[in-house]
Amino acid sequence: MGASRTNGSRTNGSRTDGSRTDGSRTNGGFDVDALLADDTVGIVVCCGSGGVGKTTTAAALGVRAAEAGRKVVVLTIDPARRLAQSLGLTVLDNTPRAVTGLDLGQGGRLDAMMLDMKRTFDEVVEAHATPEKAAQILANPFYVAVSSSFAGTQEYMAMEKLGQLRAQADREGTWDLVIVDTPPSRSALDFLDAPKRLGSFLDGRFIRLLAAPAKAGGRAYLKVFSAGVTLATQTLSKVLGGQMLIDVQTFVAALDTMFGGFRERADQTYALLKQHGTAFVVVAAPERDALREASYFLDRLGEEGMPLAGVVVNRIQRVAAPGLTAARAAAAEESLDDAGAGESTTADLLRLHAEVARTAARHAAVVKRFRTGHPGTPVAEVPAASRDIHDVEGLRTIGDALAAG
Amino acid sequence: MSDTAPAFPGVRLHVVTGKGGTGKTTVAAALAMALARRGQRVLLAEVEGRQGIAQTFDVPPLSTQEVRVLADGSGGEVWGLAVDAKAALLEYLQSFYKLGRAGAVLEKVGAIDFATTIAPGVRDVLLIGKVYEAVGRTTGSKRGRGDLAWDAVVLDAPPTGRIGRFLNVNAEVADVAKVGPIRSQADSITRMLRSPRTAVHAVTLLEEMPVQETVDAIAEIEGLGMPVGAIVVNQVREPLLGEAGLARVAKAAESPRSRGALAKEVTAALGTAGVRTTAALVDGLLAEATDHADRVALEAEQREEIAAAGRPAYDLPWLPDGVEGGGLRVLADHLLEQGMV
C-alpha cells in the first residue's frame, strides 16, 4: 500500500465520463491503492451486472483497505450469502460482524454485513413512528408485501442502510469507509433507478388520491375529485379486490404522517451518491454483455455527475508461457502428432497452451475495445483464478491483482 | 438430429432460470430453436425488459407484439415476445372489462403505473399471466376451441435468486388480493405451473456458486410443488489434458522429482517439434497445466453436486465466439442430440 495521493481534491476534472483525473495513472490503469488510501473517500459502491464478481471485488477491496489501516464495513445485499462464503462467515444479518483472519497491524478493521431488507424497512418505520402507529403499519398486509417482496425495495433499503452506516460511521467513528455491493438487479442501473421509482410512486399523484379518503374520513371525498379518479379506483377495486384498496389507503395514510415524503428520502440517498466522498467501482467480466452493461453504467454515472473511480474487469485469462504464440503451439503440436507423439503429455500441454493463448487474446481484444470506447476511464484487470475464492487469503490475492492493475 | 425420444414430451411451458451470467437467455433461445427444429411452433418470451431475445437472434428490439425470429426448414418457427406488464394489464382490462377510453384515463392518473409497479405481486401475475394466456391460446374464436396457437412456450424467466418469488404468484397476491379477478387469475396460473405441462429448467456453469444457487433454486421450486425439469450445464469445456496428462501434472505438483522428469521430457519433445525452449517456457506450460488440472478437479466436484440433485442434466459446449455465426444452432443441436427435446 505504498501509493499515496499528493492531490487530495475531489474534482472530476473536465472529463465527460465523470472519471477522476487525479486518481488514475497515465496509462489508463486503475490505482486501487490510491483510492483506498484516500481518506476523503468514505463510500465505495461496487456495481455491475450479475455474475461478474461484484461481491468478491467488494470483499477484496474491504480486506485490502482494512489491512492498509482503514476501518471498513462491507455491506452486501445479495441473498445468495456469497459474501458469507467469500469471507468464511456462517452468519450474516443486519448486524455488522468482524471478519477474522486479517492482518490488522496497521490499525484497521473489517466488518461485514448482509442486508436484511425487511428488517431495515421495519427499523425505518419504528424509528419514525409512535409505537402504536408503527405496530399498525407493520401489521398492514400491504406493508408486509411491499417491505418483503417488492422488486425495488431491496435497492431502496440498500441505499437506506448505506446512509445509516455512513451516518453511524460519522457519528461514532466506528468506520471510515463503507463498501457496498449492489443488489443482483436485472440491470446494473436498477440500483440507481429503483429507489427513486419506489419513492416517487409512494409519493405519486394516484397514491395521494387513494390516501385522500382515509384522511378526509370517507370514500365520498373522492367524488369531488374527478370522474377519472373515481373510474380508476372503481376499476382497480374490480380487478384487485376492494380490500386491497382499503389496505393501500391505510398504508399510505400511515406512512404519510410518518415521513416527510418518500421522494425526499430517496432524493437524499441519491444525493449521497453524488457527493465527492463517494466513489463508484464498475465491475465487469471480459464478455460482450457484461462490458455492454458496464458501458451503460459509465454513461449514466457521467450523466449524473457521479464520481467514477474506475472499472474492474475480472476473470481475465493470463498466459504463463507468453514466449509461445497460439499458432506456434498448434504447429508444434501438429508436428508431434506427425511424429507419432500426439498422445504425449507435451502434445497435451501444447494444445492447452494454444487454447489459453487464444482465450487470452480474445479477452485482451474485448478489453482493448472497451478501453477505446471509454478513453480516460481507469481500468484494472484481474486474472482468472483456477479455484473459486472463498477465504481471506483468496481475497488478498484478488486485492493484490487489483492493485497491480 | 437423433432419434432420441424427447425427455419432456407433455411439457408445453418450459421455464428457464439460472444464476446471472450463466447464459440463461442463450439456453432459452437454444431450447426454443431445438423445439422448432422438431417442427414445432414455439413462442419464446422474456419478462425483464432486457431485449435479450433480440440480441440473441440478432433482430430488431421486440415489442409487445409477437414477431417471428426464426423459421426452420422443418416448418417449425420461433416467435419472440417481450412481455410488458403495462401492456399486459391494459390488454387484460380490455378483454375482460371492455374498458374503451377508461384505459387511457387509468394510464393518465397513474393507476396503471401504480398497479404494475407498486402493487406487490400484481406485476408478476401480469407477466406470467401473459405467458399463461399464450400457453392456452387457441386458434378458434373462443378459448378452448380450435388448435393450440403454440406447440410450446419457452419463458426466459428471472434468475435463480428471484425465481421462487416470481413463480409463487399465489402467495405474492394472497396478502393483498384475497378475492377478485387478480386472485382467480393467480389461482389459474398456479394450477398450470404445478401441472405436468410445465417444467422449470435451471442453467448453471461448472462453478461453485452457480451450482449452489441451482441446487437451492431446485429445492425452492420443488417446495412450491412445481415440476423441476432439467439442469442445463452451459459453457462446458472439454478437458485439454487426457487422464494420463492430468495424473502426471498432479504428480509433478507434489513431487519435485516428477516435475523434473516431466520438464526434461517436455523440453526434449519441444525440441523435436522445432520449438526453441527455455526454462521459463517450460515452467509456464506446466503452470498453465496445473491451473487447468485444478479447474478440471473443481468441475468434477460440481458434476457430483449436479448429479446429486437427481435431475436430468444436459451439457452445452463453450462457444468461443458466443452465439454469433450459427452458435445458437450448435447449442440447439446439442440439446436435440442429448434428447432434451
Side-chain angles (χ1 to χ4, degrees):
Chain A
M1 194 90 191
S4 71
R5 297 166 61 107
T6 49
N7 177 2
S9 75
R10 312 299 322 144
T11 53
N12 285 339
S14 58
R15 297 181 186 218
T16 51
D17 62 1
S19 65
R20 295 168 188 276
T21 52
D22 53 351
S24 59
R25 295 175 194 150
T26 47
N27 63 2
F30 174 14
D31 192 343
V32 171
D33 280 343
L35 171 71
L36 297 179
D38 184 348
D39 56 15
T40 65
V41 173
I43 295 174
V44 171
V45 183
C46 295
C47 46
S49 54
V52 296
K54 274 194 300 280
T55 309
T56 309
T57 301
L61 288 173
V63 168
R64 192 166 184 85
E67 295 196 329
R70 297 292 302 261
K71 292 183 231 161
V72 190
V73 59
V74 175
L75 166 64
T76 184
I77 294 103
D78 200 306
R81 303 180 301 277
R82 283 189 228 152
L83 186 67
Q85 292 172 4
S86 299
L87 296 178
L89 290 181
T90 47
V91 191
L92 261 191
D93 50 25
N94 242 1
T95 318
R97 284 162 205 276
V99 178
T100 56
L102 270 68
D103 173 10
L104 299 174
Q106 304 287 316
R109 66 181 286 176
L110 178 63
D111 297 284
M113 65 166 288
M114 184 160 113
L115 179 76
D116 181 333
M117 168 169 89
K118 176 143 176 35
R119 197 190 294 183
T120 304
F121 214 141
D122 291 355
E123 283 166 5
V124 173
V125 171
E126 283 160 355
H128 290 84
T130 60
E132 307 88 77
K133 196 98 200 168
Q136 190 196 341
I137 296 172
L138 296 185
N140 183 291
F142 200 90
Y143 169 79
V144 173
V146 165
S147 62
S148 55
S149 69
F150 174 62
T153 305
Q154 204 176 34
E155 285 84 354
Y156 189 79
M157 287 304 128
M159 289 267 213
E160 176 69 37
K161 190 44 101 180
L162 171 62
Q164 285 177 15
L165 286 173
R166 192 58 250 166
Q168 188 187 343
D170 290 343
R171 201 172 52 240
E172 299 168 9
T174 336
W175 305 292
D176 54 27
L177 179 61
V178 182
I179 298 180
V180 56
D181 160 41
T182 55
S185 305
R186 174 174 65 87
S187 90
L189 294 176
D190 272 4
F191 180 65
L192 294 179
D193 292 334
K196 252 191 166 169
R197 217 156 46 212
L198 179 63
S200 63
F201 275 116
L202 287 181
D203 206 30
R205 184 172 163 217
F206 185 67
I207 211 156
R208 300 275 116 212
L209 293 174
L210 284 179
K215 275 194 274 182
R219 187 172 285 253
Y221 182 61
L222 263 186
K223 293 226 166 68
V224 302
F225 252 97
S226 77
V229 171
T230 313
L231 180 61
T233 42
Q234 278 172 356
T235 310
L236 282 187
S237 289
K238 258 195 253 173
V239 179
L240 303 173
Q243 182 61 37
M244 176 169 174
L245 279 186
I246 295 169
D247 286 340
V248 172
Q249 287 164 357
T250 353
F251 172 58
V252 175
L255 283 184
D256 193 48
T257 55
M258 197 175 88
F259 301 125
F262 259 100
R263 192 201 303 269
E264 201 183 312
R265 214 173 162 82
D267 284 349
Q268 279 170 6
T269 36
Y270 203 70
L272 185 67
L273 295 180
K274 287 192 176 192
Q275 287 172 6
H276 286 321
T278 300
F280 279 85
V281 173
V282 177
V283 186
E287 287 140 25
R288 195 187 53 168
D289 291 351
L291 286 170
R292 181 170 38 215
E293 198 70 25
S295 291
Y296 291 150
F297 210 95
L298 290 183
D299 292 346
R300 180 64 188 279
L301 290 178
E303 277 167 30
E304 302 278 332
M306 288 181 169
L308 169 74
V311 177
V312 171
V313 187
N314 281 325
R315 300 195 195 126
I316 301 269
Q317 177 72 60
R318 292 276 187 242
V319 181
L324 191 59
T325 65
R328 278 178 55 218
E333 192 258 321
E334 225 169 89
S335 81
L336 284 181
D337 209 16
D338 289 346
E343 303 291 313
S344 69
T345 303
T346 306
D348 276 356
L349 293 187
L350 287 168
R351 257 193 303 275
L352 172 63
H353 177 71
E355 183 61 38
V356 166
R358 275 194 294 268
T359 306
R362 202 177 46 251
H363 287 179
V366 293
V367 173
K368 189 177 172 200
R369 207 178 314 146
F370 179 81
R371 284 179 188 265
T372 309
H374 301 275
T377 299
V379 179
E381 299 177 24
V382 178
S386 55
R387 310 286 304 196
D388 284 349
I389 307 295
H390 37 38
D391 54 17
V392 168
E393 187 47 47
L395 291 172
R396 214 175 263 141
T397 312
I398 297 284
D400 289 344
L402 272 169
Chain B
M1 219 184 284
S2 80
D3 294 316
T4 321
F8 304 98
V11 170
R12 303 209 42 253
L13 172 61
H14 296 271
V15 179
V16 180
T17 183
K19 181 181 179 302
T22 56
K24 174 173 75 65
T25 302
T26 304
V27 172
L31 177 58
M33 187 188 256
L35 289 163
R37 298 199 59 200
R38 289 267 190 208
Q40 298 197 11
R41 269 175 59 81
V42 185
L43 179 67
L44 174 60
E46 65 177 52
V47 290
E48 297 204 294
R50 304 178 65 140
Q51 289 295 341
I53 297 172
Q55 281 165 23
T56 307
F57 284 93
D58 200 14
V59 296
L62 300 180
S63 69
T64 52
Q65 299 296 311
E66 291 152 3
V67 288
R68 194 171 71 183
V69 294
L70 176 93
D72 188 72
S74 64
E77 291 177 346
V78 177
W79 290 61
L81 171 68
V83 183
D84 174 73
K86 267 194 200 186
L89 178 57
L90 287 171
E91 187 186 311
Y92 176 83
L93 292 174
Q94 194 56 43
S95 59
F96 284 90
Y97 298 98
K98 306 281 179 280
L99 272 192
R101 72 165 195 101
V105 174
L106 287 175
E107 174 83 69
K108 204 174 143 213
V109 300
I112 298 292
D113 276 345
F114 166 79
T116 55
T117 314
I118 284 288
V122 172
R123 182 185 177 82
D124 289 346
V125 174
L126 289 166
L127 295 174
I128 311 186
K130 179 69 196 171
V131 174
Y132 168 77
E133 180 272 325
V135 172
R137 194 189 306 162
T138 49
T139 53
S141 52
K142 275 187 169 169
R143 196 174 168 94
R145 300 240 179 103
D147 298 327
L148 286 165
W150 302 108
D151 295 316
V153 176
V154 177
L155 173 60
D156 177 12
T160 37
R162 291 204 302 279
I163 189 67
R165 198 192 301 155
F166 178 76
L167 294 177
N168 195 13
V169 285
N170 237 357
E172 271 202 272
V173 299
D175 285 337
V176 288
K178 294 186 177 67
V179 291
I182 282 281
R183 176 78 237 192
S184 39
Q185 171 88 344
D187 287 341
S188 311
I189 292 169
T190 304
R191 265 197 303 281
M192 173 190 71
L193 291 176
R194 286 184 178 156
S195 78
R197 287 178 296 158
T198 298
V200 185
H201 309 295
V203 182
T204 188
L205 306 177
L206 284 176
E207 293 170 16
E208 261 176 71
M209 287 179 188
V211 169
Q212 191 53 52
E213 282 198 24
T214 296
V215 171
D216 290 349
I218 285 175
E220 192 179 6
I221 292 157
E222 279 174 343
L224 294 174
M226 294 171 188
V228 176
I231 298 176
V232 179
V233 185
N234 197 20
Q235 299 177 14
V236 174
R237 283 185 260 194
E238 289 301 318
L240 290 156
L241 294 178
E243 292 283 330
L246 285 172
R248 290 201 66 185
V249 170
K251 207 170 165 203
E254 278 161 19
S255 133
R257 223 176 110 199
S258 310
R259 192 181 190 286
L262 181 57
K264 205 171 157 192
E265 178 192 314
V266 170
T267 308
L270 286 176
T272 65
V275 177
R276 209 173 44 152
T277 47
T278 60
L281 176 65
V282 175
D283 283 350
L285 290 177
L286 289 179
E288 285 171 1
T290 308
D291 272 359
H292 183 73
D294 277 352
R295 211 191 68 214
V296 170
L298 177 72
E299 289 183 355
E301 287 167 26
Q302 302 312 315
R303 282 274 181 213
E304 286 173 24
E305 292 280 327
I306 291 169
R311 314 305 316 175
Y314 303 96
D315 281 6
L316 290 178
W318 180 69
L319 300 175
D321 300 317
V323 292
E324 282 157 27
L328 197 59
R329 196 183 165 108
V330 172
L331 299 181
D333 282 350
H334 273 82
L335 293 178
L336 286 166
E337 277 162 21
Q338 294 170 68
M340 181 170 175
V341 297

